[in-house]
Structure formats: C-alpha cells, structure tokens
Amino acid sequence: GQLSSIAHGNGVATGGGTTPMWIAVGSANGGNNIVRSTDGVTWTRVNTGRTIDLWKVTHGRNVFLAIARSGTLLSSSNGTTWNAVTVPNLPAGATFLSITFDGSEFLLLVNDGARNPQVYVSGDGSAWAAAGSKLTSASLFDGTVAGNGSLVAVAGASSVSGNVVFTAPITPGLFATVGAWSNAQVVDANSFGFVFITHVNSLWVAGGYSAAL
C-alpha cells in the first residue's frame, strides 16, 4: 500500500507506561491502513477494521486523529485501537481535505459538494463544530489547513485561481471561533498543486506539486 501522511506524538499511552510514537497512514490494504513505530526504524501494521484509504494524520492533546477523504475521522490514544468520531452538521457530499493541531485546537478542513471549504474545530478531538463561514469563493478541489493559535490559514488548488491562500483570525477555546476570511492570495495562477501549509518558527510555509511559497 501507499502511505500519505505521518505524525509524531510524545508520551503516548501504552501498556507499560508512555512512549514517543510515530503513526503513518495510507491506502486501505485490507484494513491495514496504519503503521506505528516507537523509534522510527521498526514499524508495525495496525488493522483498524476499516478498509478505507486514510489521507492525513495529526497528534495533539494525547490523541492521534486520522481522516479519510470519504468523510471518516478516526481517533486513538495509543496508536493501536482506533475508534470513529462523528463530526456533526457536515454538508452534503462532504470531503475531508486536511486535519492539524495548532497547539490550541484541532482544525479540520471539509469541502462540500460545490467545493466550498469549511473549517471545523475541536478542543479535544472528540467534540466538533463548524467555525467561521464557508469559503464560497475558493472552489478548492484540494486543500490543507494550518494554524498558529491566532491565525488559521487555508491553502489549496482552486479551479478558478490556481494556488491560493486564505487567512482568518482564530480565537482559541473549547470551540474556537474563526473570524472573517481574507480575499484569496493568489500565489501561482498557473499551478494547482498546493498540498501542505505549516507554521514553524514564525514562518508560514506552503508547497506541493510544482509550487512553493
């Protein structure tokens, strides 16, 4: 199978205490769509019991969260046992594009059937709510989300404008609030490959296929 995303967590609960852990997710592979490692060298397959392609994984607040583009969200505190999490009030034709933890809350980027993305937020990974307005002008056929605790950014491939970035202020909380979105910042009108954005050491970095910011 093919792996598509990886995350690292410190202090992951195991039968013998806690340990650092790597989790990578990928194609369905008969339900063996996750691999785990405590040292980054030796990896063990994990069968989630769900024959779906997993797309992204993140870690925060002592929990791993993994998504499938088809609209499934899985949660695990130990990297071995995975349970489905319900995200309420999803739009018709929902596609899960990206998930991340910004240090304060989890952010989930969801596309509706008309490619109007919406950010959902959670303080603990289990209770979710839509935050802010839909990006009705985005027309994203793929996208990713990141935050730094005060700003949330959505980068993606727009069928209208090429590679774009939108930003909005975010107020942390159990259900964080997201303010008004900026206009599209067109980074490359001729490319459609943004697949990641992240915030590291006061810098925002985005990139993908034949594209970088």
Side-chain angles (χ1 to χ4, degrees):
Q2 180 178 347
L3 297 176
S4 58
S5 182
I6 191 169
H8 179 263
N10 284 316
V12 177
T14 63
T18 60
T19 185
M21 186 175 296
W22 296 90
I23 293 289
V25 303
S27 53
N29 198 26
N32 295 297
N33 42 15
I34 288 176
V35 291
R36 62 192 288 269
S37 175
T38 57
D39 59 9
V41 177
T42 302
W43 294 82
T44 303
R45 292 186 182 276
V46 177
N47 192 305
T48 64
R50 297 166 177 86
T51 53
I52 54 176
D53 295 336
L54 294 177
W55 177 236
K56 299 289 184 182
V57 63
T58 192
H59 182 269
R61 301 204 184 282
N62 299 316
V63 66
F64 287 99
L65 295 178
I67 60 170
R69 292 177 69 91
S70 56
T72 296
L73 172 62
L74 301 179
S75 171
S76 177
S77 60
N78 59 15
T80 301
T81 303
W82 293 80
N83 298 302
V85 177
T86 298
V87 180
N89 302 316
L90 289 172
T95 300
F96 287 4
L97 298 180
S98 181
I99 191 167
T100 192
F101 181 70
D102 73 355
S104 298
E105 53 271 321
F106 292 97
L107 306 172
L108 172 66
L109 184 63
V110 178
N111 236 2
D112 66 12
R115 295 179 179 170
N116 299 312
Q118 170 88 57
V119 172
Y120 286 71
V121 298
S122 175
D124 59 6
S126 61
W128 291 85
S133 60
K134 284 187 177 182
L135 279 159
T136 55
S137 65
S139 191
L140 296 187
F141 56 83
D142 205 352
T144 183
V145 65
N148 64 359
S150 61
L151 192 72
V152 59
V154 170
S158 168
S159 59
V160 176
S161 307
N163 285 325
V164 295
V165 177
F166 300 87
T167 57
I170 184 170
T171 302
L174 179 59
F175 293 114
T177 58
V178 174
W181 291 100
S182 68
N183 293 325
Q185 303 165 54
V186 180
V187 177
D188 187 344
N190 298 312
S191 295
F192 301 94
F194 267 168
V195 294
F196 77 87
I197 188 167
T198 188
H199 184 267
V200 181
N201 295 332
S202 301
L203 294 175
W204 291 92
V205 179
Y209 308 113
S210 303
L213 169 60

